[in-house]
Amino acid sequence: MVASQQKPEDRVQLHAGRRLPVLKRLSGKLLRLTLLFGLLAEIMIFVPTIADMRIRWLSDRLNTVAAASVVLAASDAKDVPQSVQDEVLLATGTKAIALREKGASRLLAVSDMPSKVDKHIDITVTDPLTMIRGAFDELINGGDRVIRVYGPVGDTGKVIELLTSDAPLRNAMLLYARNVALISLFISVITASLVFLAISRLLIRPIQRMSDNMLAFAQEPDDPQRIIVPGKREDELGIAERELADMQHRLQRTLSEQKHLADLGLAVSKINHDMRNILASAQLISDHLANSSDPAIQRFVPKLVRTIDRAINYSQTVLAYGGTQEAPPQRRRVKLHTIITDVEEMLDLDAKAGIEAKSNIEFKNLVPETFEIDVDPDQFFRIISNLCRNSVQAMLGDTRNDPALVRRLTITAGQIGTTSIIGVDDTGPGLPAKARENLFTAFKGSARSGGTGLGLAIVHELVRAHGGTIELRDNEGAGTSFEIRIPDQPVSLAEWRSRRSSIS
């Protein structure tokens, strides 16, 4: 828990100070593993080697005895003085020598005959597992046993046998094991050092460099000097460095955009209070106008009241995109045709046509009057009004003075299963490539000069809050076409039963 509460700047200082113990560093772990694996490799080599050494030692002893037995076999053992036999036995390190020929065994020399033989060894048996078992048995249990060793004498068909103590054999095997262990340790240290130096240069240092950079970047992510400069390596680490640099660039751009949004929210918050006061005053004036008996005033007052109410609501929630999240939709069944009509009245295309007679725009509400949709009415009004306002601005921004040019904004709606599909199509100049690439991205997706792109970003957020989708459909000709899909809100089983009983 203490480590998790450590501040980023403390971690940077800790890393910069190199206070991490050597054995806990990645390089220290690598060195230990290399030594361990080197020793394991030497052990795997040592096991068959010590088994082979035991057989060679016994073969050499048997060959020496066979050479001495030639003299003993040339004469009858009874004619050989005991002193000579003792000298032969002492020189060969044996207790008894026998020669087996044509099924008969002949004792050539003997001193103190042991009462029992603890182990019989046939040097012609070269099975690896048998040799390994014999070697480890000798190392563990040997030292005070009498062994019988036998094997052929060249190609003569004779078999020489001897009885001897296994103490010299065990001592020779221990000496050999010690020498092999020292040599193996020396080789492992040299190998581990070379591998460590190579891997440290190829892997550890670049990884350490990236680690230092990430810690430094985390401390000041807005400093361009903290972005890593990728090397020219073409391996995985080179790719990782380039990807890290690209990620840091993208993160800095994102932080800059978020700061822009925060600054925007701060600026709007400063005028939000005064704006609400002005709108409140306008609302009071509209209330007085509602009491007027003039038919013309009575006809426009409801529109004015609705417009001011929406403006007040917008001023209260204008910080939602730049600061907190939008409020969850309060979904109800509403008539989409009425919402589209309110949007058309808000756009006031007749007034725009009066100002710019050559930019007359036709608004077609093709949504059936009986078509219902399950949405938050205020939020869906914002969705449609933002899309329609963008279309109108795009068509008004088209400076071509061709009287045959068609300027039309069409709203359509339909339903597939429980999903409502709404189309917003215009015959304007279409979206430029930059706007298509950054669609629904604030401050990037604007189609006109000076635009912020917040409209489409807000539309995208509100549609997703309804569990729906919005996408730009490809048009072969000019114009822009958006398709919105809004699924109906799921109805609980209790509510469905209640509706069904009320209908019955």
Side-chain angles (χ1 to χ4, degrees), residues 6-56:
Q6 193 178 33
K7 296 181 180 180
E9 55 268 24
D10 296 336
R11 293 198 300 269
V12 173
Q13 293 174 0
L14 175 64
H15 196 277
R18 298 283 188 242
R19 298 176 184 174
L20 194 66
V22 176
L23 294 180
K24 289 187 177 181
R25 295 180 191 173
L26 188 60
S27 55
K29 294 178 180 179
L30 175 63
L31 181 59
R32 294 201 306 272
L33 286 175
T34 307
L35 281 171
L36 177 61
F37 294 153
L39 289 175
L40 287 176
E42 294 296 337
I43 290 173
M44 294 177 66
I45 297 173
F46 168 76
V47 171
T49 303
I50 193 68
D52 181 68
M53 176 266 171
R54 169 176 169 269
I55 293 297
R56 284 189 289 103

Coordinates of all heavy atoms in Angstrom, one line a residue, residues 6-56:
Q6 N 3.0 6.1 -3.6 CA 4.2 6.9 -3.9 C 4.0 7.9 -5.1 O 3.4 7.5 -6.1 CB 5.4 6.0 -4.2 CG 6.7 6.7 -4.3 CD 7.8 5.7 -4.6 OE1 7.7 4.8 -5.3 NE2 9.0 6.0 -4.0
K7 N 4.4 9.1 -4.9 CA 4.1 10.1 -6.0 C 5.0 9.8 -7.2 O 6.1 9.3 -7.1 CB 4.4 11.5 -5.4 CG 3.4 11.9 -4.3 CD 3.7 13.3 -3.8 CE 2.8 13.7 -2.7 NZ 3.0 15.1 -2.2
P8 N 4.6 10.3 -8.4 CA 5.4 10.0 -9.6 C 6.8 10.7 -9.5 O 7.7 10.1 -9.9 CB 4.5 10.7 -10.7 CG 3.1 10.6 -10.2 CD 3.2 10.8 -8.7
E9 N 6.8 11.9 -8.9 CA 8.1 12.6 -8.8 C 9.1 11.8 -7.9 O 10.3 11.8 -8.1 CB 8.0 14.0 -8.4 CG 7.2 14.2 -7.0 CD 5.7 14.4 -7.3 OE1 5.2 14.0 -8.4 OE2 5.0 14.9 -6.4
D10 N 8.5 11.2 -6.9 CA 9.3 10.4 -6.0 C 9.9 9.2 -6.7 O 11.1 8.8 -6.5 CB 8.5 9.9 -4.8 CG 8.1 11.1 -3.9 OD1 8.8 12.1 -4.0 OD2 7.1 10.9 -3.2
R11 N 9.1 8.6 -7.6 CA 9.5 7.4 -8.4 C 10.6 7.9 -9.3 O 11.6 7.1 -9.6 CB 8.4 6.8 -9.1 CG 7.4 6.1 -8.2 CD 6.5 5.2 -9.0 NE 5.8 5.8 -10.1 CZ 4.6 6.3 -10.0 NH1 3.9 6.3 -8.8 NH2 4.0 6.9 -11.0
V12 N 10.5 9.0 -9.9 CA 11.5 9.5 -10.8 C 12.8 9.7 -10.1 O 13.9 9.4 -10.6 CB 11.1 10.9 -11.5 CG1 12.2 11.5 -12.3 CG2 9.9 10.6 -12.4
Q13 N 12.8 10.4 -8.9 CA 14.0 10.6 -8.1 C 14.6 9.3 -7.7 O 15.8 9.1 -7.7 CB 13.7 11.4 -6.9 CG 13.2 12.9 -7.2 CD 12.8 13.6 -6.0 OE1 12.8 13.1 -4.9 NE2 12.4 14.9 -6.2
L14 N 13.8 8.3 -7.3 CA 14.3 7.0 -6.9 C 15.0 6.3 -8.1 O 16.1 5.8 -7.9 CB 13.1 6.1 -6.4 CG 13.5 4.7 -6.1 CD1 14.4 4.6 -4.9 CD2 12.2 3.8 -5.8
H15 N 14.4 6.4 -9.2 CA 15.1 5.7 -10.4 C 16.3 6.5 -10.8 O 17.3 5.9 -11.2 CB 14.1 5.7 -11.6 CG 14.5 4.8 -12.6 ND1 15.4 5.1 -13.6 CD2 14.1 3.5 -12.9 CE1 15.5 4.1 -14.4 NE2 14.8 3.1 -14.0
A16 N 16.3 7.8 -10.7 CA 17.4 8.6 -11.1 C 18.6 8.4 -10.2 O 19.7 8.4 -10.5 CB 17.1 10.1 -11.2
G17 N 18.2 8.1 -8.9 CA 19.3 7.9 -7.9 C 19.9 6.5 -7.9 O 20.8 6.3 -7.2
R18 N 19.3 5.6 -8.7 CA 19.9 4.3 -8.9 C 19.9 3.6 -7.5 O 20.9 3.0 -7.1 CB 21.2 4.3 -9.5 CG 21.3 4.8 -10.9 CD 20.7 3.8 -11.9 NE 20.9 4.3 -13.2 CZ 19.9 4.5 -14.1 NH1 18.7 4.4 -13.7 NH2 20.1 4.9 -15.3
R19 N 18.9 3.8 -6.6 CA 18.9 3.2 -5.3 C 18.4 1.8 -5.3 O 18.4 1.2 -4.2 CB 18.0 4.1 -4.4 CG 18.5 5.5 -4.2 CD 17.5 6.3 -3.4 NE 17.9 7.7 -3.3 CZ 17.2 8.7 -2.7 NH1 16.1 8.4 -2.1 NH2 17.6 9.9 -2.7
L20 N 17.9 1.3 -6.4 CA 17.5 -0.1 -6.4 C 18.6 -1.0 -6.3 O 19.7 -0.9 -6.9 CB 16.8 -0.3 -7.8 CG 15.9 -1.6 -7.9 CD1 14.7 -1.5 -7.0 CD2 15.5 -1.8 -9.3
P21 N 18.5 -2.0 -5.3 CA 19.7 -2.9 -5.1 C 20.0 -3.6 -6.4 O 19.2 -3.9 -7.3 CB 19.1 -3.9 -4.1 CG 18.0 -3.2 -3.4 CD 17.4 -2.2 -4.4
V22 N 21.3 -4.0 -6.6 CA 21.8 -4.6 -7.8 C 21.1 -5.9 -8.1 O 20.7 -6.2 -9.2 CB 23.3 -4.8 -7.7 CG1 23.8 -5.5 -9.0 CG2 24.0 -3.4 -7.6
L23 N 20.9 -6.7 -7.1 CA 20.3 -8.0 -7.3 C 18.9 -7.9 -7.7 O 18.3 -8.9 -8.2 CB 20.5 -8.9 -6.0 CG 21.9 -9.2 -5.6 CD1 21.9 -10.1 -4.4 CD2 22.6 -10.0 -6.8
K24 N 18.2 -6.8 -7.4 CA 16.8 -6.7 -7.7 C 16.6 -6.0 -9.1 O 15.5 -5.9 -9.6 CB 16.1 -5.8 -6.7 CG 15.9 -6.6 -5.4 CD 15.0 -5.8 -4.4 CE 14.8 -6.5 -3.1 NZ 13.9 -5.8 -2.2
R25 N 17.7 -5.5 -9.7 CA 17.6 -4.9 -11.0 C 17.4 -6.0 -12.0 O 17.8 -7.2 -11.8 CB 18.8 -4.1 -11.3 CG 19.0 -2.9 -10.5 CD 20.2 -2.1 -10.8 NE 20.6 -1.1 -9.9 CZ 21.7 -0.4 -9.9 NH1 22.6 -0.6 -10.9 NH2 21.9 0.6 -9.0
L26 N 16.9 -5.7 -13.2 CA 16.8 -6.6 -14.3 C 18.1 -7.2 -14.7 O 18.2 -8.4 -15.0 CB 16.1 -5.9 -15.5 CG 15.7 -6.8 -16.6 CD1 14.7 -7.9 -16.2 CD2 15.1 -6.0 -17.8
S27 N 19.2 -6.4 -14.7 CA 20.5 -6.9 -15.1 C 21.0 -7.9 -14.0 O 21.6 -8.9 -14.4 CB 21.5 -5.7 -15.2 OG 21.5 -5.0 -13.9
G28 N 20.7 -7.7 -12.7 CA 21.2 -8.6 -11.7 C 20.4 -9.9 -11.8 O 21.0 -11.0 -11.7
K29 N 19.1 -9.9 -12.1 CA 18.4 -11.1 -12.3 C 18.9 -11.9 -13.5 O 19.0 -13.1 -13.5 CB 16.9 -10.8 -12.5 CG 16.2 -10.2 -11.2 CD 14.8 -9.9 -11.5 CE 14.2 -9.3 -10.2 NZ 12.7 -8.9 -10.5
L30 N 19.2 -11.1 -14.6 CA 19.7 -11.8 -15.8 C 21.0 -12.5 -15.5 O 21.3 -13.6 -16.0 CB 19.9 -10.7 -16.9 CG 20.5 -11.2 -18.2 CD1 19.7 -12.2 -18.9 CD2 20.8 -10.0 -19.1
L31 N 21.9 -11.8 -14.7 CA 23.2 -12.4 -14.4 C 23.0 -13.7 -13.6 O 23.7 -14.8 -13.9 CB 24.1 -11.5 -13.6 CG 25.5 -11.9 -13.2 CD1 26.3 -12.3 -14.5 CD2 26.2 -10.9 -12.4
R32 N 22.1 -13.7 -12.6 CA 21.9 -14.9 -11.8 C 21.3 -16.0 -12.7 O 21.7 -17.2 -12.5 CB 20.9 -14.6 -10.7 CG 21.5 -13.6 -9.6 CD 20.8 -13.7 -8.3 NE 19.4 -13.6 -8.4 CZ 18.7 -12.4 -8.4 NH1 19.5 -11.3 -8.3 NH2 17.4 -12.3 -8.5
L33 N 20.4 -15.7 -13.5 CA 19.8 -16.7 -14.4 C 20.8 -17.3 -15.3 O 20.8 -18.5 -15.6 CB 18.6 -16.2 -15.2 CG 17.3 -15.9 -14.3 CD1 16.3 -15.2 -15.2 CD2 16.7 -17.2 -13.8
T34 N 21.7 -16.5 -15.9 CA 22.7 -17.0 -16.8 C 23.6 -17.9 -16.1 O 24.0 -19.0 -16.6 CB 23.5 -15.8 -17.4 OG1 22.6 -14.9 -18.0 CG2 24.4 -16.3 -18.5
L35 N 24.0 -17.6 -14.9 CA 24.9 -18.5 -14.1 C 24.2 -19.8 -13.8 O 24.8 -20.9 -13.9 CB 25.3 -17.8 -12.8 CG 26.4 -16.7 -12.8 CD1 26.5 -16.0 -11.5 CD2 27.7 -17.4 -13.2
L36 N 22.9 -19.7 -13.4 CA 22.2 -20.9 -13.1 C 22.0 -21.8 -14.3 O 22.3 -23.0 -14.2 CB 20.8 -20.5 -12.5 CG 19.8 -21.7 -12.2 CD1 20.4 -22.5 -11.1 CD2 18.5 -21.1 -11.8
F37 N 21.7 -21.3 -15.4 CA 21.5 -22.1 -16.6 C 22.8 -22.7 -17.1 O 22.9 -23.8 -17.6 CB 20.9 -21.3 -17.7 CG 19.4 -20.8 -17.4 CD1 18.9 -19.7 -18.0 CD2 18.7 -21.6 -16.6 CE1 17.6 -19.3 -17.7 CE2 17.4 -21.2 -16.3 CZ 16.8 -20.1 -16.9
G38 N 23.9 -21.9 -16.9 CA 25.2 -22.4 -17.3 C 25.6 -23.6 -16.4 O 26.1 -24.6 -16.9
L39 N 25.4 -23.5 -15.1 CA 25.7 -24.6 -14.2 C 24.8 -25.8 -14.5 O 25.2 -27.0 -14.4 CB 25.5 -24.1 -12.7 CG 26.5 -23.2 -12.2 CD1 26.2 -22.7 -10.8 CD2 27.9 -23.8 -12.2
L40 N 23.5 -25.6 -14.8 CA 22.6 -26.7 -15.1 C 23.1 -27.4 -16.4 O 23.1 -28.7 -16.5 CB 21.2 -26.2 -15.4 CG 20.4 -25.8 -14.1 CD1 19.1 -25.2 -14.5 CD2 20.2 -26.9 -13.2
A41 N 23.6 -26.6 -17.4 CA 24.2 -27.3 -18.6 C 25.4 -28.1 -18.2 O 25.6 -29.2 -18.7 CB 24.5 -26.2 -19.6
E42 N 26.3 -27.6 -17.3 CA 27.5 -28.3 -17.0 C 27.1 -29.6 -16.2 O 27.8 -30.6 -16.3 CB 28.4 -27.4 -16.1 CG 29.0 -26.2 -16.9 CD 29.9 -26.7 -18.0 OE1 30.4 -27.8 -17.9 OE2 30.1 -25.9 -19.0
I43 N 26.1 -29.5 -15.3 CA 25.6 -30.7 -14.6 C 25.1 -31.8 -15.5 O 25.4 -33.0 -15.4 CB 24.6 -30.3 -13.6 CG1 25.2 -29.5 -12.4 CG2 23.9 -31.5 -13.0 CD1 24.2 -28.9 -11.5
M44 N 24.4 -31.3 -16.6 CA 23.9 -32.3 -17.5 C 25.0 -33.0 -18.3 O 25.0 -34.2 -18.7 CB 22.9 -31.6 -18.5 CG 21.7 -31.1 -17.9 SD 20.6 -30.2 -19.0 CE 20.2 -31.5 -20.1
I45 N 26.1 -32.2 -18.5 CA 27.3 -32.8 -19.1 C 28.1 -33.7 -18.1 O 28.7 -34.7 -18.5 CB 28.2 -31.7 -19.7 CG1 27.5 -31.0 -20.8 CG2 29.5 -32.3 -20.2 CD1 28.2 -29.7 -21.3
F46 N 28.1 -33.3 -16.8 CA 28.9 -33.9 -15.8 C 28.4 -35.4 -15.5 O 29.2 -36.3 -15.3 CB 28.9 -33.1 -14.5 CG 29.4 -33.9 -13.3 CD1 30.8 -34.0 -13.2 CD2 28.6 -34.4 -12.4 CE1 31.3 -34.7 -12.1 CE2 29.1 -35.1 -11.3 CZ 30.4 -35.2 -11.1
V47 N 27.1 -35.6 -15.5 CA 26.5 -36.9 -15.2 C 27.0 -38.0 -16.1 O 27.6 -39.0 -15.6 CB 25.0 -36.8 -15.2 CG1 24.4 -38.2 -15.0 CG2 24.5 -35.9 -14.1
P48 N 26.9 -37.9 -17.4 CA 27.5 -39.0 -18.2 C 29.0 -39.0 -18.2 O 29.6 -40.1 -18.4 CB 26.9 -38.7 -19.6 CG 26.6 -37.2 -19.6 CD 26.2 -36.9 -18.3
T49 N 29.6 -37.9 -18.0 CA 31.1 -37.8 -17.9 C 31.6 -38.6 -16.7 O 32.6 -39.4 -16.9 CB 31.6 -36.4 -17.9 OG1 31.1 -35.7 -19.0 CG2 33.1 -36.3 -18.0
I50 N 31.0 -38.4 -15.6 CA 31.5 -39.1 -14.4 C 31.3 -40.6 -14.5 O 32.1 -41.5 -14.0 CB 30.9 -38.6 -13.1 CG1 31.6 -39.1 -11.9 CG2 29.4 -38.9 -13.0 CD1 33.0 -38.5 -11.7
A51 N 30.2 -41.0 -15.2 CA 29.9 -42.4 -15.4 C 31.0 -43.1 -16.3 O 31.5 -44.2 -16.1 CB 28.5 -42.6 -15.9
D52 N 31.3 -42.3 -17.4 CA 32.3 -42.8 -18.3 C 33.7 -42.9 -17.6 O 34.5 -43.8 -17.9 CB 32.4 -41.9 -19.5 CG 33.4 -42.3 -20.5 OD1 33.1 -43.4 -21.1 OD2 34.4 -41.6 -20.7
M53 N 34.0 -41.9 -16.8 CA 35.3 -41.9 -16.1 C 35.4 -43.1 -15.2 O 36.5 -43.7 -15.1 CB 35.4 -40.6 -15.2 CG 36.6 -40.5 -14.4 SD 36.3 -41.1 -12.7 CE 38.0 -41.1 -12.1
R54 N 34.3 -43.5 -14.5 CA 34.4 -44.7 -13.6 C 34.7 -46.0 -14.4 O 35.6 -46.8 -14.0 CB 33.0 -44.9 -13.0 CG 32.8 -46.2 -12.2 CD 31.5 -46.2 -11.5 NE 31.1 -47.5 -11.0 CZ 30.4 -48.4 -11.7 NH1 30.0 -48.1 -13.0 NH2 30.1 -49.6 -11.2
I55 N 34.1 -46.1 -15.6 CA 34.3 -47.3 -16.4 C 35.8 -47.3 -17.0 O 36.5 -48.3 -17.0 CB 33.3 -47.4 -17.6 CG1 31.9 -47.7 -17.0 CG2 33.7 -48.5 -18.6 CD1 31.8 -49.0 -16.3
R56 N 36.3 -46.1 -17.3 CA 37.6 -46.0 -17.9 C 38.6 -46.3 -16.7 O 39.7 -47.0 -17.0 CB 37.9 -44.6 -18.4 CG 37.3 -44.4 -19.8 CD 37.7 -43.1 -20.4 NE 37.1 -41.9 -19.8 CZ 37.7 -41.1 -18.9 NH1 39.0 -41.3 -18.6 NH2 37.1 -40.1 -18.4

